[in-house]
Amino acid sequence: MSELQNKAVALAEQSEGELRSSFARGTPFLQSALDLYFALGGDQERAEALAAAPRSAAPLRVDAAVANVMVELAVASHLNDIDMVQATYNRLDSELDS
């Protein structure tokens, strides 16, 4: 794992305790995704419609879904003139106990 990933995991463990399952990460991930969605100008009505829409395709593998998220993060960062890695390091450095 990368240094960034290791630090992010350490921060989550610092605030939540031992991380036990991928399934349990769904809710914190969705909350963060919604925070970004609204920060990018998304609205409640569209969010509810997306959440209620039936999923016709089989679920993606985690690696493919993570790749899709990373592409969207890169695009959002680019459009807002933000270095996504530096923004992450800034948060980790300010919140992670040394």
Side-chain angles (χ1 to χ4, degrees):
M1 285 193 284
S2 72
E3 176 188 13
L4 183 67
Q5 186 174 358
N6 288 336
K7 284 186 167 192
V9 169
L11 179 62
E13 288 177 334
Q14 176 179 295
S15 60
E16 301 170 27
E18 183 181 350
L19 305 177
R20 298 183 187 266
S21 72
S22 291
F23 177 77
R25 300 311 305 166
T27 300
F29 176 81
L30 182 57
Q31 181 61 52
S32 294
L34 286 169
D35 288 345
L36 178 58
Y37 171 78
F38 289 115
L40 293 171
D43 63 75
Q44 187 73 31
E45 184 177 304
R46 181 73 176 134
E48 290 174 6
L50 288 168
R55 308 294 275 169
S56 58
L60 295 175
R61 292 186 333 261
V62 172
D63 62 327
V66 166
N68 290 347
V69 168
M70 294 303 295
V71 168
E72 291 306 319
L73 285 173
V75 171
S77 297
H78 170 78
L79 292 172
N80 288 275
D81 196 26
I82 298 166
D83 180 325
M84 67 185 195
V85 173
Q86 188 61 54
T88 306
Y89 272 118
N90 291 348
R91 176 173 176 210
L92 293 170
D93 290 344
S94 70
E95 294 184 39
L96 192 59
D97 291 342
S98 298

